[in-house]
Amino acid sequence: MPTTLFSLAFGVGTQNRQNDWLEVFYAQPLIRPAGELCDAVAKCIGYSGGNQAIAITTNQAAELAERLKSLDPVQSALLTRLAESHRPLVATLLAEDAQLSSTPEAYLKLHLLSHRLVKPHGLNLAGIFPLLPNVAWTNQGAIDLTELPARQLEARLKGTPLEVTSVDKFPKMTDYVVPAGVRIADCARIRLGAYVGEGTTVMHEGFINFNGGTEGPGMIEGRVSAGVFVGKGSDLGGGCSTMGTLSGGGNIIISVGEGCLIGANAGIGIPLGDRNTVEAGLYLTAGTKVNLLDEGNQLVQVVKARDLAGQADLLFRRNSQTGAVECKTHKTAIELNEALHAHN
């Protein structure tokens, strides 16, 4: 029976002095690879099933490159390069999309997201935080925090600059993959594991967390939190924020439909349908009381914002005299939405 895998990748990474993995770079991760390819890899490295991260030598990488020439020329070429490595190598094989059990597995799933092979909330990321060590990200690569003082001293003595750009569990996405067709003003604000769709522009104050992102095209000037997926043609205004949890309702995906506009310093705690507009400065939580207005601006009923989750063609605004949150629907909302998009 052929070997079946959910994902397979060959990586090169960094370990500390105790041989613990700090990070792994996968140049060409695969999703649901062919059975013949899986069989060849399994026989070469002694894979016995399940989810495993198996350390491989440069000799094994060279052998794999030869075996895969006719099966997958791209992976064969990658393994030929990995066979020249002076850094530790790993083959990570995931039989199923199960809870994570190792740092190489965690990095593979982050790569699958940033390579656009899986969309946000399409992977089981349970247990990821304990498996991502908090490290110093430097111009000389990832460094274990306990080893950083010695490395800093060594750099000073040699006159070699050692710049610590961040201390975090997540590295910059662009140090691992730059998706095609994107513009990113400040790469430090996009974490590995972000999904940045083709045609997306992320301005200087824009931020995209892991397991969140944009389908593209669209512009991001605010924050896209983990669990948020922004649809095509949507704009998130400067300083806006989004939440990944519905208040009082448990964790859900906070999706933003196509053609939405979330104004500056605005935020949402509910999924938005297509062509929604949230005016600047309005923070819309799941429990926010909303006055539904008809086309004549007459009150129809008062609902909670969660009751409007996912509906299309809505305009959310705050009444400047009473402070009440209002929602215009149907034709009026569509016309106002189009006018706001044209203005911006």
Side-chain angles (χ1 to χ4, degrees):
M1 185 174 179
T3 303
T4 59
L5 293 175
F6 171 73
S7 183
L8 166 67
F10 304 104
V12 55
T14 305
Q15 295 177 320
N16 63 14
R17 291 171 182 165
Q18 285 72 45
N19 295 321
D20 299 321
W21 289 101
L22 300 181
E23 57 84 40
V24 183
F25 170 70
Y26 299 105
Q28 298 285 345
L30 297 173
I31 192 82
R32 298 180 180 87
E36 291 183 353
L37 174 65
C38 298
D39 284 338
V41 174
K43 290 177 183 178
C44 185
I45 64 175
Y47 169 69
S48 57
N51 291 359
Q52 293 189 48
I54 302 173
I56 61 175
T57 65
T58 52
N59 288 337
Q60 286 176 306
E63 182 182 350
L64 278 167
E66 187 64 28
R67 291 193 183 195
L68 301 187
K69 272 186 178 180
S70 60
L71 297 175
D72 192 324
V74 173
Q75 294 296 317
S76 176
L78 169 62
L79 285 158
T80 298
R81 296 301 309 276
L82 293 179
E84 304 168 357
S85 176
H86 297 287
R87 307 297 295 274
L89 304 177
V90 65
T92 302
L93 304 91
L94 303 182
E96 58 180 342
D97 180 24
Q99 180 169 330
L100 296 163
S101 60
S102 70
T103 299
E105 289 179 30
Y107 266 85
L108 174 51
K109 289 193 174 182
L110 294 177
H111 277 74
L112 292 176
L113 286 161
S114 290
H115 277 268
R116 299 177 184 156
L117 295 174
V118 183
K119 290 184 178 180
H121 278 265
L123 291 170
N124 184 346
L125 297 177
I128 191 171
F129 286 101
L131 296 173
L132 295 176
N134 194 30
V135 302
W137 301 99
T138 78
N139 60 325
Q140 296 182 17
I143 300 177
D144 188 295
L145 291 178
T146 63
E147 299 169 10
L148 181 61
R151 291 284 296 273
Q152 289 174 317
L153 176 59
E154 180 183 357
R156 291 281 181 172
L157 295 175
K158 291 182 177 179
T160 304
L162 177 60
E163 179 185 3
V164 179
T165 56
S166 69
V167 178
D168 196 7
K169 288 178 173 288
F170 293 84
K172 292 186 294 186
M173 180 191 73
T174 52
D175 285 349
Y176 293 78
V177 55
V178 179
V182 303
R183 293 168 53 204
I184 302 173
D186 185 351
C187 292
R189 298 182 66 83
I190 314 296
R191 278 176 152 182
L192 181 64
Y195 184 108
V196 187
E198 187 166 0
T200 299
T201 295
V202 185
M203 299 302 287
H204 290 81
E205 294 304 316
F207 172 84
I208 305 179
N209 208 343
F210 85 103
N211 203 31
T214 67
E215 190 169 8
M219 179 172 289
I220 304 299
E221 295 184 84
R223 177 183 178 87
V224 180
S225 300
V228 178
F229 192 54
V230 181
K232 294 180 180 179
S234 295
D235 297 324
L236 274 70
C240 80
S241 61
T242 48
M243 301 191 305
T245 304
L246 255 177
S247 58
N251 291 332
I252 66 165
I253 303 172
I254 302 297
S255 60
V256 179
E258 297 184 11
C260 292
L261 173 63
I262 302 176
N265 297 309
I268 59 171
I270 63 169
L272 296 182
D274 295 339
R275 300 175 301 279
N276 277 210
T277 296
V278 181
E279 77 166 12
L282 175 59
Y283 208 106
L284 195 66
T285 66
T288 299
K289 291 185 177 180
V290 181
N291 292 343
L292 283 179
L293 307 180
D294 63 17
E295 294 184 9
N297 289 327
Q298 298 301 307
L299 178 65
V300 177
Q301 66 178 122
V302 179
V303 299
K304 290 186 177 181
R306 63 165 61 93
D307 298 324
L308 302 173
Q311 296 189 30
D313 302 312
L314 301 180
L315 168 68
F316 295 95
R317 69 187 188 188
R318 189 177 294 279
N319 187 299
S320 61
Q321 293 183 321
T322 67
V325 177
E326 300 175 339
C327 178
K328 297 277 289 185
T329 61
H330 305 306
K331 182 179 178 180
T332 305
I334 296 171
E335 292 173 350
L336 285 170
N337 190 310
E338 291 175 347
L340 281 166
H341 271 284
H343 177 71
N344 284 274

